[in-house]
Amino acid sequence: MITRELLRQATAELTTAGCDSPRLDAECLLAHAWSNNRAGLIARATDEVPEAITRDFFALIERRVRREPLAYLTGEKEFWSRSFSVDPSVLIPRPETEHLIEACLAAFPDRQMQLAICDIGTGSGCIAVTLACEYPDARVVATDISAAALETAQANATRHGVADRITFRLGSLLDALQQGDGPFELIVSNPPYVAAGEMEGLAPELAFEPRTALTDESDGLQLLREILERGLKHLKPDGRIIVETGSCGLPEAPAGLLEESRIRDLAGHLRAGVYRHL
């Protein structure tokens, strides 16, 4: 079968399965299976696809039909214009989380600052690695409750040349910190903030992602509150705690913190909160 027909058939299958971007998904998966890129597929539109490639491609399509996320199938996801390795042990980086990076850069505009940063619940390491890249003199401590996630984050830190400035800690939230970690100018986190009651209404792809990275099994605010309340003692005066959130909203600032700003996307949806140490 030639490339054009292969993509047409795969696109039809993904459309029937309810995928949001069936043609794009098909092109990405064929490019992945063929060690090519999407632009290269145009040049090969009338080429016959090798049998082994066709077999591998339709195996990937079958998985996508079952709504397995595209990023897990390719093992890659772009974040802040960098490519990150991902696997089912980590939450897939999302464009919404880039609002956190923007908020950090706005709070600390001097890129040459020797910032001490803590990334709580680092997952793939996309936040920790990105901030280490953007602040070349920063030191970062990144925590996660999952050992497998920390392995992925470590690999991404090595991939982007910042592993020597990131310390990875295994444990739950701030419990993972050890003596000598901090205090920090910046604590940042994309914690689980989906309320338990909202989980059933999420897209089918989210069933493949680690549940513990999505929901606090409560009202969505439980872990956000803990980060704010316990993070204060690890924060330098005038330091910031910046957290991602969603429909659950933001907790009230505990004593010692001031809610400095709320970050919204272009559609007006709440994406993050910035809190300042008084």
Side-chain angles (χ1 to χ4, degrees):
M1 191 179 297
I2 64 172
T3 301
R4 182 189 299 149
E5 288 302 309
L6 201 66
L7 287 172
R8 184 196 60 75
Q9 182 176 330
T11 299
E13 291 186 21
L14 296 178
T15 300
T16 301
C19 296
D20 289 338
S21 51
R23 176 71 183 196
L24 176 62
D25 289 0
E27 290 178 356
C28 288
L29 291 175
L30 183 54
H32 176 70
W34 210 348
S35 298
N36 206 321
N37 55 52
R38 289 176 58 216
L41 296 180
I42 297 174
R44 291 180 166 182
T46 57
D47 289 0
E48 182 132 350
V49 181
E51 184 178 343
I53 300 299
T54 299
R55 184 169 57 249
D56 292 344
F57 171 61
F58 276 113
L60 291 170
I61 291 296
E62 286 179 13
R63 292 169 64 186
R64 186 69 187 105
V65 163
R66 296 194 293 271
R67 304 300 289 273
E68 189 171 344
L70 182 69
Y72 288 161
L73 299 178
T74 63
E76 299 282 335
K77 182 66 176 180
E78 184 177 288
F79 181 83
W80 203 257
S81 299
R82 297 182 179 92
S83 186
F84 285 81
S85 298
V86 295
D87 58 62
S89 72
V90 301
L91 196 69
I92 297 169
R94 288 165 166 75
E96 292 83 1
T97 302
E98 294 188 350
H99 289 288
L100 277 185
I101 305 299
E102 292 171 352
C104 293
L105 296 177
F108 299 96
D110 181 1
R111 303 291 184 91
Q112 305 309 312
M113 283 186 70
Q114 295 181 346
L115 287 175
I117 301 171
C118 180
D119 175 25
I120 300 172
T122 194
S124 67
C126 64
I127 295 172
V129 169
T130 298
L131 291 176
C133 290
E134 297 299 319
Y135 295 100
D137 294 319
R139 308 290 300 187
V140 184
V141 176
T143 78
D144 205 282
I145 199 170
S146 165
L150 287 180
E151 287 185 12
T152 300
Q154 176 79 57
N156 281 318
T158 300
R159 177 179 186 174
H160 291 290
V162 294
D164 61 326
R165 292 189 289 112
I166 303 179
T167 301
F168 294 96
R169 301 292 193 206
L170 177 63
S172 177
L173 301 180
L174 294 151
D175 289 338
L177 296 179
Q178 297 181 12
Q179 188 172 6
D181 293 340
F184 304 100
E185 280 93 4
L186 172 62
I187 295 175
V188 61
S189 182
N190 174 18
Y193 56 76
V194 179
E198 295 177 330
M199 288 296 290
E200 288 188 6
L202 298 181
E205 283 82 355
L206 287 166
F208 291 87
E209 299 192 57
R211 186 179 175 95
T212 55
L214 291 167
T215 178
D216 62 0
E217 303 294 354
S218 181
D219 61 355
L221 291 169
Q222 182 173 303
L223 299 182
L224 286 165
R225 292 191 194 98
E226 182 176 345
I227 290 168
L228 295 179
E229 291 168 1
R230 297 183 58 203
L232 183 61
K233 72 176 184 178
H234 298 280
L235 200 63
K236 290 183 179 181
D238 206 38
R240 305 298 200 281
I241 299 178
I242 302 179
V243 291
E244 183 169 337
T245 190
S247 60
C248 65
L250 286 167
E252 289 187 17
L257 283 179
L258 170 70
E259 184 183 308
E260 191 171 54
S261 62
R262 295 189 170 203
I263 310 300
R264 298 183 182 274
D265 61 20
L266 293 176
H269 300 128
L270 180 63
R271 293 300 182 189
V274 180
Y275 296 81
R276 180 171 58 85
H277 192 322
L278 294 173

